[in-house]
């Protein structure tokens, strides 16, 4: 199991880890006001611990926590820094579309878009800066990634509703502050639009002066329809990946992980995604990520997340289906399944590669006497750490 775990981490870019040790005096980190008091480094450190801010809430109910958007075509609920202040680097949207509905043509100026299909089918179209276009059909377990600024559209495919989770590599992004085609066109002079398209100015003069956002049209069916201009080159899409099928898989004693980084999905340059399953009574071991924040969405089940933020600050929060959690880069944490069914999570990291360090691996990589001295344990106890469990157990 140990070799298998290390192989998984290597495949997930462990080779990219560069840990640099820097000898830095504790006095470097002491605020000027404490230095002015003439405190020794040891006493200053104790004073600093007293004034540490308590850990903020890091779990949010995305499905019920915000007003969001809803019409006959579908709905969208988001978790940005407005609703979820701790999540500065990653935002999320839970979106539903009814048959025949579509998320209109749009682009994002400050964030790339990632998505995971939770239910149903979705068709996307995207245009890239090289002028090529692609249309792809997605089903449950698939993901897409559209780089920042790429124009795209999302459409429910077939006669059943769809549900998908959107992730953005900036917590300050807002799905309701996106650049939409109807919003732009309806606020441009009808004469300019007539010159641009060749259609009469009267047509544009009568358009509603607002963004469509989610529209309703004809039900999308197979096969993929042709573009208005068939001369526009159609590319074999690099935006689609079958995560549930082709992600790097790791079976563990108490669950499993399936990972997709930029190594497996090259266009996904700002995020890494993981599907995680934790069986009842099991836990994802104590660990931290040296290179990324972590954003989680609970697909099924319930559990608890506990984080460690230095200076004795530990906080544990429960969550369940439809809720999200955010752990800052470098914060120690673990996840425990406290329910009676499998806890299923979709996890995002704001890095193109995956890195993780576990508490038990760290301890076992040191001489036994050193660990014994740290905790006042016997050498026998320290040596027994070679048998520690890994991953999810």
């Amino acid at each position: 199991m140990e070799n298998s775990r290390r192989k998984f981490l290597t495949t997930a870019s462990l080779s990219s880890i560069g840990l640099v040790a820097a000898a830095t005096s504790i006095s470097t980190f002491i605020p000027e006001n404490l230095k002015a008091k003439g405190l020794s480094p040891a006493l200053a450190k104790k004073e600093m611990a007293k004034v540490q801010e308590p850990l903020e809430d890091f779990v949010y109910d995305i499905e019920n926590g915000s007003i969001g958007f809803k019409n006959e075509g579908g709905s969208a609920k988001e978790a940005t820094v407005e609703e979820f202040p701790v999540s500065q680097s990653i935002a999320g949207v839970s979106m539903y579309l009814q048959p025949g509905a579509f998320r209109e043509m749009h682009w994002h100026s400050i964030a790339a878009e990632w998505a995971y299909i939770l239910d149903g089918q979705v068709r996307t179209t995207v245009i890239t800066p090289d002028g090529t276009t692609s249309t792809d059909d997605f089903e449950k377990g698939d993901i897409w990634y559209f780089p920042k600024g790429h124009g795209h559209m999302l459409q429910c495919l077939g006669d059943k509703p769809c549900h998908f989770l959107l992730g953005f590599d900036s917590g300050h992004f807002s799905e309701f502050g996106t650049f939409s085609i109807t919003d732009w066109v309806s606020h441009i002079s009808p004469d300019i639009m007539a010159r641009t398209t060749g259609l009469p100015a009267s047509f544009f003069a009568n358009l509603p002066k607002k963004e469509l956002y989610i529209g309703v049209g004809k039900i999308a069916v197979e096969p993929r329809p042709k573009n208005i201009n068939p001369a526009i080159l159609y590319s074999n899409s690099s935006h689609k990946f079958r995560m549930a099928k082709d992600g790097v898989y790791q079976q563990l004693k108490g669950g499993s992980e399936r990972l997709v980084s930029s190594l497996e999905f090259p266009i996904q340059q700002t995020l890494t995604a993981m599907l995680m399953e934790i069986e009842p009574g099991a836990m994802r071991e104590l660990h931290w990520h040296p290179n990324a924040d972590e954003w989680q969405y609970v697909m099924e089940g319930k559990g608890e997340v506990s984080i460690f933020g230095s200076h004795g600050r530990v906080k544990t929060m429960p969550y369940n289906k439809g809720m999200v959690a955010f752990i800052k880069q470098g914060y120690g944490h673990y996840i425990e399944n406290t329910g009676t069914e499998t806890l299923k999570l979709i996890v995002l990291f704001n890095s193109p590669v995956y890195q993780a360090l576990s508490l038990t691996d760290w301890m076992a990589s040191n001489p036994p006497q050193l660990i014994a001295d740290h905790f006042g344990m016997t050498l026998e106890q320290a040596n027994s750490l070679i048998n520690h469990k890994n991953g999810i157990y």
Side-chain angles (χ1 to χ4, degrees):
M1 183 62 70
E2 174 65 16
N3 289 336
S4 177
R5 178 72 177 168
R6 294 193 185 281
K7 182 178 179 182
F8 174 77
L9 288 170
T10 300
T11 306
S13 311
L14 188 60
S15 59
S16 67
I17 299 179
L19 299 178
V20 180
T24 307
S25 169
I26 182 65
S27 63
T28 303
F29 302 104
I30 299 174
E32 291 301 321
N33 64 327
L34 294 182
K35 288 181 181 179
K37 292 181 179 180
L39 298 176
S40 69
L43 288 175
K45 185 177 180 181
K46 289 182 179 179
E47 289 298 314
M48 289 171 64
K50 292 178 183 178
V51 299
Q52 286 289 324
E53 290 292 329
L55 293 173
E56 54 199 316
D57 287 349
F58 54 91
V59 169
Y60 176 73
D61 189 345
I62 190 172
E63 300 293 355
N64 300 300
S66 62
I67 297 174
F69 174 94
K70 186 174 184 180
N71 67 7
E72 69 274 17
S75 64
K77 298 290 187 70
E78 68 177 6
T80 72
V81 291
E82 291 295 322
E83 299 83 14
F84 193 27
V86 69
S87 188
Q88 293 287 315
S89 60
I90 298 175
V93 175
S94 174
M95 184 170 288
Y96 291 83
L97 293 178
Q98 297 297 323
F102 56 91
R103 172 67 177 92
E104 69 164 303
M105 298 162 67
H106 63 283
W107 78 91
H108 312 292
S109 65
I110 69 167
E113 177 178 303
W114 173 96
Y116 180 81
I117 309 302
L118 294 162
D119 198 22
Q121 294 179 292
V122 180
R123 173 171 288 163
T124 72
T125 66
V126 59
I127 187 168
T128 59
D130 64 5
T132 60
T133 182
S134 61
T135 298
D136 293 286
D137 294 343
F138 297 79
E139 59 187 40
K140 185 176 180 178
D142 292 346
I143 61 176
W144 70 67
Y145 183 93
F146 301 140
K148 180 168 53 180
H150 288 209
H152 57 281
M153 191 262 312
L154 321 173
Q155 185 177 24
C156 182
L157 179 61
D159 59 1
K160 296 180 180 179
C162 62
H163 180 204
F164 48 94
L165 183 70
L166 300 172
F168 301 90
D169 57 5
S170 170
H172 295 266
F173 159 87
S174 172
E175 176 66 5
F176 309 118
T178 292
F179 293 77
S180 299
I181 192 169
T182 58
D183 189 28
W184 193 11
V185 169
S186 65
H187 289 87
I188 297 294
S189 161
D191 291 335
I192 294 296
M193 287 308 306
R195 289 170 59 187
T196 299
T197 65
L199 295 174
S202 59
F203 171 80
F204 296 100
N206 293 322
L207 287 179
K209 303 299 182 184
K210 63 179 183 178
E211 177 184 21
L212 179 62
Y213 190 69
I214 292 178
V216 178
K218 300 288 185 181
I219 292 180
V221 296
E222 302 280 3
R224 180 187 71 85
K226 293 182 179 179
N227 295 327
I228 293 174
N229 181 359
I232 294 177
L233 294 177
Y234 180 77
S235 65
N236 291 321
S237 179
S238 60
H239 302 89
K240 177 180 178 178
F241 191 89
R242 313 214 80 165
M243 183 179 187
K245 184 178 179 182
D246 298 327
V248 180
Y249 184 72
Q250 173 76 352
Q251 180 66 53
L252 298 161
K253 183 177 181 181
S256 65
E257 296 173 345
R258 191 178 292 275
L259 185 81
V260 180
S261 72
S262 60
L263 294 184
E264 297 77 36
F265 192 24
I267 199 172
Q268 190 181 259
Q269 283 296 311
T270 61
L271 296 167
T272 287
M274 178 183 286
L275 285 173
M276 184 183 298
E277 295 191 359
I278 304 174
E279 297 304 325
M283 63 178 285
R284 170 68 170 94
E285 66 177 318
L286 281 73
H287 66 288
W288 73 96
H289 304 287
N291 70 326
D293 299 321
E294 177 176 338
W295 188 94
Q296 308 170 2
Y297 175 86
V298 182
M299 295 188 290
E300 293 182 24
K302 67 177 183 177
E304 289 184 346
V305 186
S306 181
I307 67 172
F308 166 61
S310 76
H311 298 291
R313 296 178 302 158
V314 172
K315 189 168 187 174
T316 302
M317 295 189 72
Y319 60 3
N320 51 45
K321 184 176 180 180
M323 300 178 76
V324 296
F326 183 86
I327 298 103
K328 294 179 180 178
Q329 178 177 329
Y331 277 43
H333 57 286
Y334 68 89
I335 308 166
E336 184 179 11
N337 185 337
T338 57
T340 58
E341 60 179 314
T342 302
L343 176 61
K344 297 182 179 180
L345 305 169
I346 182 75
V347 186
L348 288 177
F349 305 91
N350 62 328
S351 170
V353 294
Y354 178 74
Q355 298 177 4
L357 294 168
S358 81
L359 177 67
T360 48
D361 274 343
W362 189 23
M363 293 172 68
S365 66
N366 282 273
Q369 186 62 59
L370 182 66
I371 297 301
D373 292 343
H374 266 69
F375 299 101
M377 65 177 67
T378 66
L379 279 176
E380 182 181 9
Q381 289 173 319
N383 280 312
S384 71
L385 293 173
I386 195 172
N387 301 315
H388 73 271
K389 299 172 183 177
N390 266 125
I392 302 172
Y393 51 83

